[in-house]
Amino acid sequence: MMKTANLLLILFGTLVFAGCFNQELQETIQTDPLPSWNEGNTKQAIIDYVIDVTNEESENFISVSERIATFDNDGNLWSEQPLYFQFIFAIDRIKSLASGHPEWKNQQPYKAVLEDDQGELLKQGMHGLLELVMASHADMTTAEFEAVVKDWLATARHPRFDRPFTDLVYQPMLELLQYLRDNDFKTFIVSGGGIEFMRPWVEKVYGIPTDQVVGSTIKTVFDYNNGNPVIKRLPEMDFIDDKEGKPVGIHKYIGKKPVFASGNSDGDLQMMQWTASNKYKSFILYLHHTDADREWAYDRESHIGRLDKGLDEAKENDWSIIDMAKDWKLIYPHELTK
Amino acid sequence: MMKTANLLLILFGTLVFAGCFNQELQETIQTDPLPSWNEGNTKQAIIDYVIDVTNEESENFISVSERIATFDNDGNLWSEQPLYFQFIFAIDRIKSLASGHPEWKNQQPYKAVLEDDQGELLKQGMHGLLELVMASHADMTTAEFEAVVKDWLATARHPRFDRPFTDLVYQPMLELLQYLRDNDFKTFIVSGGGIEFMRPWVEKVYGIPTDQVVGSTIKTVFDYNNGNPVIKRLPEMDFIDDKEGKPVGIHKYIGKKPVFASGNSDGDLQMMQWTASNKYKSFILYLHHTDADREWAYDRESHIGRLDKGLDEAKENDWSIIDMAKDWKLIYPHELTK
C-alpha cells in the first residue's frame, strides 16, 4: 500500500513538474516572441497590438480571415544597399550574357554596365534601367528564369559582407513574421521588386508561400509547345508594384485591406495610407535605417529606399518607427551563431 | 460498494459507447469523404489519387507546399445556365442604371438589354459584351462595387430555380474542395469571371479566401482622396483569365504549377494542359454536364461553357470525366434538406 502511494506521489510530482516546465517554456515564448528586439516602445507597441486584436473580448478584435499583414521586401525584410539586390542580379546577368552581344560594348546602357561606370549608368534614367531589366529578365521561359535566379543566389556574394544575398535578411523581421503567423495573421510580401525574382527563395527564407507574394510583373504568354507547355517572359512591363501601385497590387492579389503594414521607404507610403484607412484597428510600421555600423544609415537623401515624406507622415500619425540601431539587438541571422 | 461498482460500470459503459460512436462517425468520414458522389470510377480515382500523393511512403508523394489545386468557377463550382451569372448581374445592373442614361434606349448594346432582345444582344459580339461589362462594372470604387455585388446576390433570383444564385453551387464540389483541404491541398479558383465579382461571396460559400481567387480584372487606380483613400475601377480591361490566359493567371497569382485542376469547358483546356505537365503526379478533372433534369445537359454545341476539344483531349489522355447524371447523387446543397 505504501509502495502504491509512493508511486502515485512520484507520478503526481512528475506531472506537476512537467506542467510547470511547459508553462515556463510557454511563458518565455509568450513574454518574448521577438527575442532579437530590444525592449522599448516599438517592440511593446507591436505586442500590445497583437494581443489586443486577437483577444475576442476586445472591442478591437479582428477575425482570422481579416488578419492580413503586408511587408515590403527591399530594405525591409533584407538589405537593399549599395543597390537593390535585383539590380545587382541584372548587372551580373548582363555581364554573363555580354559575350553573345558584342554590340553591347558600344551601346548604352550596356556599355556603362560592362565598364562598371556607375555615373553613366545613373544618367541612363528609368528608360535605361527598364532596358537592362528586360534584357536580363525576359526572352526566356519562366522555368528558365527561375533557374537563373537560383543559380545567381547560390553563387553571388554581397560586396560588403561577402555572403550570399539571402544571408542578408533581417533576423528581427523573421521573428516578427513568425509571431504574426503564430497569431493567425496571413503574411504577404508587397514589393516593388519582381515577383519572379522573389518567388524562388521567399518560401524557404521567409516562410511565405509563392502565392503570397505581390510584386512587379512583366507580361507572359502561354505556349502549348507541342505538348510540353511553357510560359514565356516577354520584354514588356505588365505592372509596377510601387507607390500608388502598392494598394492596387494589394487589392488585385489579396482582395482585402491589410490591418498590418510594414515598409521602409516612400515607395511604401500609399500602402501605409491604405492600411491606415482600415475600419479595423491597424498597425503601421516603418523601418528607419539608422545603423551605419551594422547595416546602413540613410533616409531623406538616399537614391535607394528614400524615406522622406513617409517619415513625416509616420510622425504626424503616430505610426511606429523602428530605429534599427536602437531597437534591434542584431541584424542578420548569422550573428546568432557568433 | 455495489453502488460504486454500478456507477463505475455505467460510467465505463457510457465512455465505451461514446468512444464507439465517435469512432463510427470518424470511419464514415474516413471511408466516404465525398458522400454526395455515387460510387464509381470518378470518385474512386479522386480518392486513390489523394491517398497516393499524400502518402510519404509513395513514390508519388507530393509535399504540402506543392499541393496546389485549381478550380474553374462557372459551370464547375456553380451553374452557368441560361447565361453566366455575372452576365445576368450585368444585365440587371444596366437596367437599374438605365433611368440615369436615357440615351441607352436608342443605343446598342444597351437597347437590346433594355428590350430583353437576346437575338440582338448576341449580334453585338465581344465588343458589345465588353461595353456592357464596363458600363455595369466600372466607374466606381472597389468598395462600391463590392456593395453592388452583395446587394444583387441578396435579392436576385435564378429564373429557373427561383433561388439566390449562390444556392446553385454544387454540393459534390463543396465536398471535393473540403476533402482536398483536409489533405493539405491549397484550393484556388481560376475563373474567366471577374475577380471582384467572386470575392464578395466565395469565402463564405466555398471556404476559399479572397487571395486565392484568380480571375479576369479591369484596371484600377489608387486615389488618396484627401486622407480617405479609395481604389477606383476604370473602364478598361486589365487581364482576361480564360483559355491561354488561365496558365498565365495561375503563374502570375500562384507562382506554382497546379497538381490538381478541375474545369468544365474548353476555356479550361490550357489550365489542364499546364497542370498535366507537372513533374509531380497530377489529376485532371472535367465536369461533363449530362443532367438536363436536375441541372443542364450541354457540351460541344453550347454557347455557354462549350466542352468540345476538352472532351476529346480528356478521353485521349485518360483524364477523369464527371458524368453529372451518373456520378452525383445530388446537385445543390438545398437537396440535402429535402
Side-chain angles (χ1 to χ4, degrees):
Chain A
M1 190 65 189
M2 268 311 275
K3 269 188 182 170
T4 311
N6 279 347
L7 194 64
L8 280 173
L9 207 65
I10 290 165
L11 270 172
F12 186 65
T14 309
L15 286 170
V16 168
F17 178 76
C20 287
F21 183 70
N22 282 340
Q23 201 181 340
E24 201 179 325
L25 250 181
Q26 222 160 351
E27 270 169 18
T28 308
I29 294 165
Q30 272 173 9
T31 52
D32 198 355
L34 302 171
S36 299
W37 294 63
N38 287 314
E39 301 307 317
N41 289 342
T42 313
K43 178 175 179 171
Q44 199 54 51
I46 294 169
I47 292 172
D48 288 347
Y49 173 78
V50 170
I51 289 174
D52 186 16
V53 300
T54 59
N55 172 12
E56 285 190 48
E57 312 286 303
S58 165
E59 59 174 0
N60 298 317
F61 177 71
I62 300 172
S63 66
V64 167
S65 74
E66 300 294 333
R67 293 183 200 162
I68 304 294
T70 54
F71 286 78
D72 174 49
N73 185 43
D74 297 309
N76 194 54
L77 293 179
W78 73 350
S79 291
E80 62 183 349
Q81 300 286 0
L83 283 175
Y84 296 126
F85 296 173
Q86 188 173 359
F87 199 50
I88 300 176
F89 162 78
I91 288 172
D92 286 355
R93 175 99 185 126
I94 294 289
K95 287 180 178 172
S96 77
L97 292 172
S99 64
H101 293 270
E103 75 280 12
W104 284 356
K105 273 183 201 152
N106 303 305
Q107 188 186 327
Q108 294 298 7
Y110 307 99
K111 189 167 181 282
V113 170
L114 299 178
E115 292 173 357
D116 288 318
D117 185 346
Q118 283 220 356
E120 187 58 44
L121 199 52
L122 282 175
K123 280 190 213 157
Q124 299 297 315
M126 185 53 80
H127 184 79
L129 178 66
L130 267 181
E131 188 165 339
L132 290 176
V133 169
M134 292 312 160
S136 54
H137 285 64
D139 283 328
M140 64 188 116
T141 70
T142 54
E144 284 163 355
F145 184 69
E146 184 181 336
V148 167
V149 171
K150 282 182 172 168
D151 279 356
W152 182 76
L153 287 173
T155 52
R157 315 283 288 188
H158 186 277
R160 173 173 164 190
F161 291 100
D162 191 27
R163 287 185 164 271
F165 287 89
T166 46
D167 277 13
L168 303 187
V169 298
Y170 304 134
Q171 175 61 27
M173 295 306 257
L174 297 182
E175 293 167 7
L176 176 56
L177 286 168
Q178 191 56 50
Y179 175 53
L180 290 172
R181 287 193 293 260
D182 287 345
N183 284 281
D184 295 325
F185 285 78
K186 203 164 181 176
T187 54
F188 291 83
I189 293 172
V190 178
S191 168
I195 281 192
E196 297 199 58
F197 180 73
M198 296 182 278
R199 281 185 172 151
W201 55 275
V202 295
E203 194 147 9
K204 196 174 152 197
V205 173
Y206 300 139
I208 293 179
T210 56
D211 62 288
Q212 289 167 221
V213 182
V214 182
S216 297
T217 47
I218 62 178
K219 287 203 193 286
T220 62
V221 66
F222 177 76
D223 181 353
Y224 180 61
N225 193 29
N226 294 315
N228 297 300
V230 292
I231 293 177
K232 288 178 175 170
R233 291 170 59 79
L234 305 180
E236 190 185 342
M237 279 310 297
D238 174 46
F239 177 65
I240 296 182
D241 189 55
D242 198 29
K243 299 190 176 73
E244 288 82 4
K246 288 210 172 188
V248 169
I250 287 169
H251 186 73
K252 186 167 167 167
Y253 281 77
I254 306 176
K256 272 180 190 154
K257 204 179 269 190
V259 293
F260 190 107
S262 155
N264 73 299
S265 80
D266 283 0
D268 301 311
L269 182 56
Q270 287 80 0
M271 169 169 80
M272 306 313 212
Q273 292 165 341
W274 185 236
T275 304
S277 75
N278 203 315
K279 65 179 173 179
Y280 299 108
K281 186 178 177 183
S282 58
F283 194 91
I284 316 292
L285 185 62
Y286 253 120
L287 171 57
H288 191 188
H289 291 264
T290 54
D291 196 330
D293 290 339
R294 297 185 299 173
E295 207 246 5
W296 281 271
Y298 57 99
D299 45 39
R300 296 182 192 274
E301 302 299 325
S302 178
H303 282 290
I304 301 280
R306 168 158 40 193
L307 179 62
D308 181 29
K309 272 191 189 174
L311 208 51
D312 295 335
E313 210 155 307
K315 284 172 184 170
E316 276 165 35
N317 293 291
D318 261 334
W319 295 342
S320 283
I321 301 175
I322 302 167
D323 179 334
M324 187 185 262
K326 207 177 117 214
D327 285 323
W328 285 0
K329 275 186 204 158
L330 49 85
I331 311 289
Y332 301 123
H334 62 85
E335 296 168 38
L336 282 169
T337 50
K338 257 181 189 167
Chain B
M1 190 63 189
M2 266 313 271
K3 271 189 182 170
T4 311
N6 280 347
L7 193 65
L8 279 173
L9 207 63
I10 290 164
L11 270 173
F12 185 65
T14 310
L15 287 170
V16 167
F17 178 77
C20 286
F21 184 71
N22 282 340
Q23 202 180 340
E24 203 180 324
L25 250 181
Q26 220 160 351
E27 271 169 17
T28 309
I29 294 166
Q30 270 173 9
T31 53
D32 197 356
L34 302 172
S36 299
W37 295 63
N38 287 315
E39 301 308 316
N41 288 342
T42 313
K43 177 175 180 172
Q44 199 53 52
I46 293 170
I47 292 172
D48 288 347
Y49 173 78
V50 169
I51 289 174
D52 186 17
V53 301
T54 59
N55 171 12
E56 285 190 48
E57 312 286 303
S58 165
E59 58 173 1
N60 297 319
F61 177 71
I62 299 171
S63 66
V64 167
S65 72
E66 300 294 333
R67 292 183 201 162
I68 303 296
T70 54
F71 286 77
D72 174 48
N73 185 42
D74 296 310
N76 193 53
L77 294 179
W78 72 352
S79 292
E80 61 184 347
Q81 299 287 358
L83 281 174
Y84 296 125
F85 295 173
Q86 187 173 0
F87 199 50
I88 301 177
F89 162 78
I91 288 172
D92 287 354
R93 176 100 185 124
I94 294 290
K95 287 178 179 173
S96 78
L97 292 172
S99 64
H101 294 270
E103 75 281 11
W104 284 356
K105 275 183 201 153
N106 303 305
Q107 188 186 328
Q108 295 296 9
Y110 307 100
K111 189 167 181 281
V113 169
L114 299 179
E115 293 172 358
D116 287 318
D117 185 346
Q118 281 220 356
E120 186 58 44
L121 198 53
L122 282 174
K123 281 191 212 155
Q124 298 298 315
M126 186 51 84
H127 184 78
L129 179 66
L130 267 180
E131 189 166 339
L132 290 177
V133 169
M134 291 314 161
S136 54
H137 286 64
D139 283 328
M140 63 188 116
T141 70
T142 55
E144 284 162 355
F145 184 69
E146 185 181 335
V148 167
V149 172
K150 283 183 171 168
D151 278 356
W152 182 77
L153 287 173
T155 54
R157 314 283 288 187
H158 187 277
R160 172 173 165 190
F161 292 100
D162 191 28
R163 288 185 164 271
F165 287 89
T166 46
D167 278 12
L168 303 187
V169 299
Y170 303 134
Q171 174 64 24
M173 295 307 257
L174 296 182
E175 292 167 8
L176 176 56
L177 286 168
Q178 191 56 51
Y179 176 51
L180 290 173
R181 288 193 292 259
D182 287 344
N183 283 280
D184 294 326
F185 285 77
K186 203 164 182 175
T187 54
F188 292 83
I189 292 172
V190 177
S191 168
I195 282 193
E196 297 197 58
F197 179 73
M198 297 182 278
R199 280 184 173 152
W201 53 276
V202 295
E203 194 148 7
K204 195 173 154 199
V205 174
Y206 300 139
I208 293 179
T210 57
D211 62 289
Q212 289 166 223
V213 182
V214 182
S216 297
T217 48
I218 61 177
K219 286 203 194 285
T220 62
V221 66
F222 177 78
D223 180 352
Y224 181 61
N225 191 29
N226 294 318
N228 297 300
V230 292
I231 293 177
K232 288 178 175 170
R233 291 169 60 79
L234 305 181
E236 191 184 343
M237 280 309 297
D238 175 45
F239 177 64
I240 296 183
D241 189 55
D242 198 28
K243 299 193 175 77
E244 288 81 5
K246 287 212 173 187
V248 169
I250 288 169
H251 186 74
K252 187 165 163 167
Y253 281 77
I254 306 176
K256 272 180 191 153
K257 203 179 271 190
V259 293
F260 189 108
S262 156
N264 73 301
S265 80
D266 282 0
D268 301 313
L269 183 56
Q270 287 81 1
M271 170 169 80
M272 305 313 210
Q273 293 165 341
W274 184 238
T275 304
S277 76
N278 203 315
K279 66 179 174 180
Y280 300 107
K281 187 179 177 181
S282 58
F283 194 90
I284 316 293
L285 185 61
Y286 253 119
L287 171 56
H288 190 188
H289 291 264
T290 54
D291 197 330
D293 290 339
R294 297 185 300 173
E295 207 244 5
W296 282 271
Y298 56 99
D299 46 37
R300 296 182 192 273
E301 303 299 324
S302 178
H303 282 293
I304 300 281
R306 168 159 39 196
L307 179 61
D308 181 29
K309 271 191 191 174
L311 208 52
D312 296 335
E313 209 155 310
K315 285 172 184 170
E316 274 165 36
N317 293 291
D318 260 335
W319 295 342
S320 284
I321 300 174
I322 302 167
D323 179 334
M324 188 185 260
K326 206 178 117 214
D327 285 325
W328 286 0
K329 275 186 205 160
L330 49 85
I331 311 288
Y332 301 124
H334 62 86
E335 298 169 35
L336 281 170
T337 50
K338 262 184 188 165

